[in-house]
Amino acid sequence: MQKNLVIVESPAKAKTLEKFLGKDFKVMSSYGHIRDLKKKEMSVNLDDFSPEYEIPSDKESVVRELRKEASAAETVWLASDEDREGEAISWHLSQVLGIDPKAAKRIVFHEITKTAILKAIETPRTIDMGLVNAQQARRVLDRIVGFKISPVLWKKLKPSLSAGRVQSVAVRLIVEREREIENFKSEFSYRVSAIFVIEGQEIKASLGQGFKTEEDAEKFLESCKDKEFFITDIEKKPVKKTPAPPFTTSTLQQEAARKLGFTVSQTMMVAQHLYESGYITYMRTDSVNLSSLCLNTAKEEIVSMHGERYSKPRQFHTNSKGAQEAHEAIRPTFISEHEIAGNSQERRLYDLIWKRTVACQMADAEAEKTTITIGMKSLSSDDDSAVSFTATGEVITFDGFLRVYRESYDDDNQVEESEGLLPSVKVGEMLQMKEMVAVQRFSQHPLRYTEASLVKKLEELGIGRPSTYAPTISTIQQREYVEKGDKKGEERTFGVIKLSAGKLEKLSKKEVVGNEKGKLLPTDIGTVVNDFLIHSFPEIVDYNFTANVEKEFDEIADGRENWQSMMREFYGKLEPMVDATLQEKSEYKVGERLLGEEPGTGKPVSVKIGRFGPMVQIGVANEAEKPRFAQLNKGQSIATITLEEALSLFKLPRTLGDFEGETVTVGTGRFGPYVLHSKKYVSIPKDVDPMEITLEAAISLIEERRQGEAAAHLKSFDEDAELEVMNGRFGPYLKYKGINYKLPKSVKEPASLTYEECMEIINTPQQAKAPAKRGRKPASKKV
């Protein structure tokens, strides 16, 4: 009999634990959750809001093995992660394995080290039902929101849409930021700077005020022709720079995005590998606390590497709303390990975590900041001007933590860089003005969100928790409410007035502004869904409501609130909103915008979200003649498209020429633009303009489609033309009378199957239960 069975969530974590535990311990993985709500049902009893769980089919074999080993073990240790999700996994395991939660041996550790694991085994606890209930509350509430609001979206907008509590708020942030940008009115002013010279050394300085008009700026520079310049004040003061706290989940995601170019989900995946391999502490946390062991070992390492002066032990305190997920920041398990084995991504992320952790325990950086004020007076009178120029310089006198790490920012203007040493000067010394320039500068619109800056905003609002940021951002992109993309900059002309050698010169220069890369952009569908939810379910997408829900989850976790009472109160508000929205009738479909009339026919031209995405419609559905439809091109939006642009989409079909004696035409349908040849359709890629595609490019698409079809048809039969052996994206299968049938694993060479063998496979009882659905019509197939 096995003495001890330890159950964790992942095989990688199990492998690392096995290195530290002796032969009396067997470590197994549950591969994440072993039970969940049913996918196609709400699985929530609305009388008492109790969830109805099931063991998914792909977890049945895992559960069988766990039950077998648990029944044979003297002690079962539940060692899933220490947050709510991990606690829920342990509770589900106790339910499935027949273990009383009050008597369960629950062990948690913030790092996978021998010391931490043995200490956890020495001090086990029972399952924390507060944490379990908080996880169940989140799961049930989100399921209710999805199952109650999503069908409303299907009816009012289009099928297959979905709503989610946190994801809808994230989309709202992105939509509102885009509208801020669209409504932004740029203003300009002229900023004046000058280069002064003293004893051959240059001083760059700027004027403390700007000018609203070109005339005012020109007038000022003109007045400087007969001015002399001198030092009126010198201020020197010491400046200290303090290191940033150690990483939390949020700050790690932000810094990895800025410094390493990682996506939020990529950062979490790599961090998970590092944790499970024993290299870092638990990666889902909003605490900046560090253990005394970490503080002591960091000090030893810093003193050893840089000397006593560079060490300054600190303990940081968490200020984020509702911080509760874990008890320590993300740090290296062993500070003495400067590098690790692993792939490039793992090594780079570890290096970032190591440097941030060490830097936060190092001395402040010290600098001397010098500010020189430059006044001016007229050569022809004694009147001194009240206007002055300012030059600043900064010199690092002690690098401190900057020797190891320098923090980055979303806005490049915030990056703290040393401005260098200024020349040694005295008050009253005269300066020679070498050049003065007034440059027209425009105010900039707010920055669009990156994945990292969106995480930061969600955290500031108290929305979501460390475990939810990555899945939320992935979900809104997968559901095509938001897309990550680039915005091309626009060329802009700006004015420059230059004063040099007593001469005034006016120039006109050009610059490209507004060029943004890797930003989160709302799609038309995302924008329409957001507007609909704000109109019909304002409370669900309200920032304060969503943040307050998170606080209630925290109270449930602490045992201060009953989770089913919370559900009852929430559902009491949601159900009337759903009923009212379903009964609401409107002349226009949600998101529809009337652009005008088609010249000649007078038929209405509108733009809306159709079954297959944003589209233009000419005519109305209740007329004898059916309406005509056209999909929007890439880069077009239902919010900004003009009547002229919409009508141009109906210039198709185009005739390109002949190929193999048949006409090649370009058209568009509900699945988008296509090439039609010999009664066969080939989709045109999204990055190709159907109005500009050439005959040669169309023929290339046709031939590519043929090659794909040839590779897909493995075998046909004289006995029955409707039977074929096919090869698809998931491997070989049989196609018979428009229905697809799986091949048994025992079939090694599908192309050698006989007609009789194929029919035997088709007629097996397993195939009869759930044959694959019929495929789409040819026009919908993508190349």
Side-chain angles (χ1 to χ4, degrees), residues 36-54:
D36 197 5
L37 302 174
K38 296 175 184 177
K39 283 188 176 181
K40 294 185 179 179
E41 299 174 23
M42 183 183 284
S43 295
V44 176
N45 185 331
L46 294 177
D47 293 328
D48 61 0
F49 300 97
S50 57
E52 299 169 6
Y53 295 113
E54 68 167 2

Side-chain angles (χ1 to χ4, degrees), residues 241-374:
K241 298 176 186 289
T242 305
F247 281 130
T248 61
T249 302
S250 165
T251 54
L252 177 64
Q253 290 169 348
Q254 293 169 50
E255 195 74 338
R258 291 186 290 248
K259 274 189 159 62
L260 308 179
F262 287 4
T263 64
V264 167
S265 58
Q266 184 182 10
T267 297
M268 294 311 293
M269 180 185 69
V270 177
Q272 179 102 25
H273 292 164
L274 292 174
Y275 166 67
E276 291 174 347
S277 301
Y279 290 128
I280 64 170
T281 52
Y282 193 53
M283 66 287 158
R284 293 191 183 95
T285 174
D286 43 20
S287 170
V288 289
N289 180 51
L290 290 173
S291 67
S292 56
L293 175 65
C294 174
L295 297 180
N296 293 333
T297 54
K299 180 176 180 178
E300 291 173 7
E301 198 69 23
I302 292 163
V303 171
S304 170
M305 292 177 66
H306 307 292
E308 189 77 37
R309 189 185 176 192
Y310 281 86
S311 172
K312 185 179 179 180
R314 293 180 183 82
Q315 187 58 274
F316 294 87
H317 299 286
T318 303
N319 296 317
S320 62
K321 295 182 183 179
Q324 47 74 34
E325 289 285 356
H327 308 294
E328 196 173 359
I330 303 168
R331 61 165 175 84
T333 308
F334 301 103
I335 296 290
S336 58
E337 288 191 6
H338 296 201
E339 297 178 353
I340 61 163
N343 61 34
S344 172
Q345 291 182 347
E346 290 166 352
R347 292 197 305 273
R348 291 171 70 205
L349 190 64
Y350 179 84
D351 181 64
L352 192 67
I353 294 168
W354 187 90
K355 286 178 176 175
R356 176 88 162 215
T357 307
V358 170
C360 82
Q361 296 304 305
M362 292 179 71
D364 294 341
E366 297 173 10
E368 183 179 74
K369 186 171 184 177
T370 303
T371 303
I372 297 176
T373 305
I374 301 168

Side-chain angles (χ1 to χ4, degrees), residues 36 84 126 131 148 161 196 283 505 531 561 656 758:
D36 197 5
R84 293 176 191 164
T126 57
L131 291 176
K148 283 292 180 179
L161 294 177
F196 300 99
M283 66 287 158
E505 183 182 9
D531 293 350
E561 183 172 350
L656 300 182
C758 290

Side-chain angles (χ1 to χ4, degrees), residues 317-508:
H317 299 286
T318 303
N319 296 317
S320 62
K321 295 182 183 179
Q324 47 74 34
E325 289 285 356
H327 308 294
E328 196 173 359
I330 303 168
R331 61 165 175 84
T333 308
F334 301 103
I335 296 290
S336 58
E337 288 191 6
H338 296 201
E339 297 178 353
I340 61 163
N343 61 34
S344 172
Q345 291 182 347
E346 290 166 352
R347 292 197 305 273
R348 291 171 70 205
L349 190 64
Y350 179 84
D351 181 64
L352 192 67
I353 294 168
W354 187 90
K355 286 178 176 175
R356 176 88 162 215
T357 307
V358 170
C360 82
Q361 296 304 305
M362 292 179 71
D364 294 341
E366 297 173 10
E368 183 179 74
K369 186 171 184 177
T370 303
T371 303
I372 297 176
T373 305
I374 301 168
M376 56 184 180
K377 60 183 179 180
S378 175
L379 294 171
S380 57
S381 70
D382 294 330
D383 293 336
D384 290 349
S385 172
V387 178
S388 60
F389 285 83
T390 303
T392 59
E394 185 176 284
V395 178
I396 300 293
T397 55
F398 174 62
D399 55 359
F401 75 92
L402 293 176
R403 177 173 282 202
V404 172
Y405 182 83
R406 193 181 290 262
E407 192 177 12
S408 57
Y409 300 87
D410 287 316
D411 183 352
D412 292 339
N413 295 327
Q414 293 185 50
V415 178
E416 296 183 24
E417 294 291 346
S418 172
E419 295 169 277
L421 183 65
L422 292 172
S424 179
V425 293
K426 297 176 184 177
V427 173
E429 283 191 295
M430 304 303 294
L431 302 173
Q432 179 187 349
M433 192 269 288
K434 179 182 177 181
E435 178 181 286
M436 189 178 293
V437 179
V439 180
Q440 187 182 19
R441 288 296 175 214
F442 295 82
S443 56
Q444 298 297 314
H445 63 65
L447 293 173
R448 290 179 173 88
Y449 287 108
T450 60
E451 286 192 358
S453 62
L454 181 61
V455 166
K456 184 178 181 181
K457 186 65 176 179
L458 289 170
E459 186 180 41
E460 286 174 0
L461 292 171
I463 294 167
R465 288 295 182 260
S467 59
T468 64
Y469 300 135
T472 295
I473 289 174
S474 295
T475 298
I476 61 177
Q477 292 180 69
Q478 289 166 3
R479 291 179 175 165
E480 297 184 349
Y481 293 158
V482 169
E483 60 185 11
K484 191 189 294 185
D486 303 337
K487 278 285 184 180
K488 286 187 178 180
E490 297 178 353
E491 191 174 76
R492 181 171 63 196
T493 301
F494 65 98
V496 177
I497 309 169
K498 184 177 179 182
L499 173 62
S500 179
K503 292 183 179 179
L504 210 63
E505 183 182 9
K506 294 171 71 172
L507 305 169
S508 181

